[in-house]
Structure formats: structure tokens, C-alpha cells
Amino acid sequence: MSAQDNRSLDQIEKDIAQHRERLASTIDELAYRVKPANIAKRQVAEGRSALYSFTHTETGELRYDVVGGAAGVAVLLLTVAIVRRVRG
């Protein structure tokens, strides 16, 4: 027989209570993680982080070549949209 078999009733009840608390904490954490609003917040944070790392160097300086190119594309798309609206 193992040492576990010799536990007192109080020790068994204490162990069950501890397991119950850990299980409740785990369930609460899972519920928090799968909540749609929290998933959306994580996705937004990841997107911002990706955009920042794409547009800035490792030292935090702005990458003008990337930002300038993106600004050029935005101006081009805006111009096309305006021309289409005026013509049509």
C-alpha cells in the first residue's frame, strides 16, 4: 500500500478542496480566453505589434521606405476612387 492510502479523512477533504480550487481557476481562465471580446482585443494587439515591427526598425526609428510606399499606394487608391466617382 502506498502512503496515499494512509491519509486521514481531513487530509483527503483538504486535497479535494485544493483540486476543486485549481479546477475552478482553470475553468475561469479558459472562459476568459475564449470570450469573443478578449479574442478580438488580442487580435488587434497582435496586428498593431506586427504593423509597428513592419514600419519601424529594431531601434524604434520609422522606416521611411516602407511608410512612403504605403502612403503612395494610399494616394493612388484615393485618386482612382475619386476619378471613378467623378466619371461615373
Side-chain angles (χ1 to χ4, degrees):
M1 295 187 100
S2 69
Q4 292 289 332
D5 296 336
N6 296 326
R7 295 182 298 170
S8 69
L9 183 59
D10 289 338
Q11 183 60 42
I12 293 171
E13 288 175 350
K14 183 179 176 183
D15 289 346
I16 290 171
Q18 288 174 348
H19 286 295
R20 186 178 294 131
E21 287 177 24
R22 281 194 303 245
L23 181 59
S25 176
T26 301
I27 290 170
D28 290 344
E29 177 65 24
L30 289 172
Y32 175 80
R33 287 183 183 187
V34 299
K35 186 176 178 184
N38 294 333
I39 293 172
K41 286 179 186 177
R42 282 196 308 271
Q43 293 294 324
V44 167
E46 288 176 16
R48 285 182 179 166
S49 176
L51 179 64
Y52 184 85
S53 65
F54 184 69
T55 58
H56 292 77
T57 64
E58 291 181 14
T59 59
E61 296 176 20
L62 190 62
R63 292 182 57 192
Y64 292 107
D65 56 332
V66 173
V67 175
V73 170
V75 168
L76 177 64
L77 292 175
L78 182 62
T79 303
V80 168
I82 291 171
V83 168
R84 282 185 165 185
R85 184 166 288 245
V86 168
R87 286 188 180 174

